[in-house]
Amino acid sequence: MLDRERAEGGNRAILVHMDVYDESHRENLSEFKELVVSSGAEIVAITTSSRSRPDPKYFVGSGKAREIAELVKQHEADLVLFNHTLAASQERNIEGLIECRVLDRTGLILDIFAQRARSFEGKLQVELAQLKHLSTRLVRGWTHLERQKGGIGLRGPGETQLETDRRLLNLRIKQINKRLEKVKKQREQGRQSRQKAEIPTISLVGYTNAGKSSLFNVLTEGDVYVKDQLFATLDPTLRRIELSKDVTVILADTVGFIRHLPHDLVNAFRSTLQETTEAQLLLHVIDSADENRDANIEEVEKVLTQIEANDIHCIQVMNKIDLTEVAPRVDIADDGRVKRIWLSVESGEGINLLKQTLIDLFREKMVEGRLVLPAAEARLRAKLFEIGAIRGESHDEEGRYILQISISQRDLNQFESREQVSLASMLQK
């Protein structure tokens, strides 16, 4: 048990990283440091080790666990952060030995999400993921944690639910799920409205900190929060933009992915990520200067498969070419479609290539032909003139209107729905 009182918000952290041969437990130390800094913790020491497989009791082995305990005393640390996902028993065992709060990689990511969530839906989703994670750690012998008043890993529900039994916790989870279901229905209504208007959606996806939000701001001339840290953007942002006079799209900026993103978070944010699954195009933003570029691409593709968005047409946007001295260009796949675009959001190089690619891809299909209307259909003729669909007009011997029609597929669909008429079947090519 821990006997000492800890100052509110104590964030002096010792980082623990272990190199293991098991791919399921292997993590990146530099990325973990970024995560810790993004959480607001102060790194006072880093200890590393290597094992063929994790120790079932302490994960790092008893000798390394005792070494961590000495580091805690030496640096007066407030918490120990593991760059790995610990089993509940491992977390309890090492916490009891070193007499300091322990947080694994999953708990740290959940804490960062708790800090970043701004919308009502985002906060609910984070709380849901936190409670599910916490439910596996609600066991007897944890009452000492009531003394901890805040800090990394104890924001949001962590501050109020630690002494709540499983029955109350499960009740709260049910309440959140009901609220999220209502929000999901509202989001679905907005999505259906966009589909009725036939405005295509482009979803920005990518590894966290690859430059998605910066690209979003450039394309929309917006001011979405941008900072050089992991998970700077959490809540989805949608903007309607006109790429040209005849091309209008909805651009969606979503949460960035990361290696071994906690499963509960992916599930909790499934409704948010549905903006991705419903998109007509994915722009996979990639930090082309990152030495782990290929591994990051693989991780994003894993999540896209997990949320069933891997079949959507995807264009890779190779960002930050200003750091690699690569010239802006467009790569074409064997099927003739654009596969990859090299650009720099920071310098603006290649942005026009991306815009032109999107314009060419979503330029509206024009429906053209000859329409013959009886004289009695003067009202329908006037309506077509109002929307600018008539390019030429003449009359035949029977006094019928011979109209040359040119109209976009979207405007034609809207006109037919509004006037309750099927012009497409009447047009003569």
Side-chain angles (χ1 to χ4, degrees), residues 15-32 46-55 59-61 64 82-84 259:
L15 276 55
V16 179
H17 173 81
M18 185 169 73
D19 290 319
V20 291
Y21 298 113
D22 183 358
E23 175 63 27
S24 63
H25 290 94
R26 192 177 302 158
E27 300 292 356
N28 183 291
L29 179 57
S30 60
E31 181 180 87
F32 186 55
I46 300 175
T47 179
T48 62
S49 64
S50 60
R51 290 177 64 94
S52 58
R53 63 180 60 87
D55 179 75
F59 191 87
V60 292
K64 175 58 72 171
F82 276 73
N83 188 22
H84 310 276
R259 182 177 173 84

Side-chain angles (χ1 to χ4, degrees), residues 89-311:
S89 58
Q90 291 171 328
E91 195 171 293
R92 290 195 304 273
N93 290 337
I94 196 166
E95 190 171 62
L97 176 67
I98 68 177
E99 296 187 339
C100 181
R101 181 156 55 92
V102 172
L103 201 63
D104 68 355
R105 178 184 173 89
T106 298
L108 179 64
I109 293 175
L110 287 171
D111 180 85
I112 295 173
F113 271 58
Q115 296 180 58
R116 301 286 189 269
R118 293 293 179 267
S119 70
F120 177 69
E121 181 185 18
K123 291 176 180 178
L124 286 178
Q125 288 169 329
V126 172
E127 184 177 359
L128 179 62
Q130 284 183 308
L131 290 176
K132 286 184 176 180
H133 181 67
L134 182 62
S135 66
T136 65
R137 284 151 169 77
L138 277 180
V139 294
R140 295 178 62 186
W142 275 47
T143 54
H144 63 280
L145 289 175
E146 68 182 335
R147 298 189 182 123
Q148 299 171 348
K149 303 300 183 181
I152 303 297
L154 294 177
R155 293 182 174 87
E159 293 178 322
T160 59
Q161 297 293 325
L162 280 172
E163 292 186 76
T164 304
D165 60 24
R166 290 186 186 278
R167 182 179 60 82
L168 292 178
L169 188 144
N170 289 332
L171 178 62
R172 176 59 180 160
I173 288 176
K174 288 180 181 178
Q175 290 173 339
I176 293 176
N177 278 325
K178 285 183 179 179
R179 290 187 180 182
L180 282 174
E181 191 62 32
K182 291 182 179 179
V183 177
K184 181 181 177 182
K185 289 179 180 178
Q186 294 172 349
R187 184 181 292 277
E188 184 62 31
Q189 289 174 351
R191 189 177 296 113
Q192 289 175 355
S193 297
R194 294 196 300 274
Q195 289 173 346
K196 286 180 180 179
E198 298 190 18
I199 303 177
T201 299
I202 302 172
S203 184
L204 297 177
V205 299
Y207 209 76
T208 186
N209 216 27
K212 291 187 298 81
S213 295
S214 296
L215 178 60
F216 182 89
N217 284 340
V218 168
L219 293 177
T220 64
E221 299 180 0
D223 57 354
V224 170
Y225 179 67
V226 175
K227 193 170 183 180
D228 186 19
Q229 62 183 20
L230 302 187
F231 303 122
T233 303
L234 179 57
D235 297 307
T237 307
L238 284 78
R239 294 285 188 275
R240 174 173 173 157
I241 59 174
E242 291 187 2
L243 293 170
S244 65
K245 290 183 179 180
D246 58 346
V247 177
T248 299
V249 299
I250 299 292
L251 194 63
D253 185 20
T254 57
V255 61
F257 302 147
I258 195 170
R259 182 177 173 84
H260 295 163
L261 190 65
H263 184 71
D264 281 338
L265 268 182
V266 175
N267 285 337
F269 280 83
R270 189 168 292 275
S271 60
T272 298
L273 294 174
Q274 191 171 350
E275 296 294 350
T276 297
T277 64
E278 298 288 342
Q280 282 70 50
L281 174 69
L282 303 183
L283 291 182
H284 180 180
V285 183
I286 299 164
D287 182 351
S288 63
D290 193 329
E291 60 182 13
N292 298 313
R293 182 182 75 187
D294 293 340
N296 294 348
I297 292 173
E298 184 178 344
E299 290 299 322
V300 171
E301 291 176 347
K302 283 181 182 178
V303 177
L304 292 177
T305 300
Q306 190 174 348
I307 64 175
E308 300 177 351
N310 52 309
D311 292 332

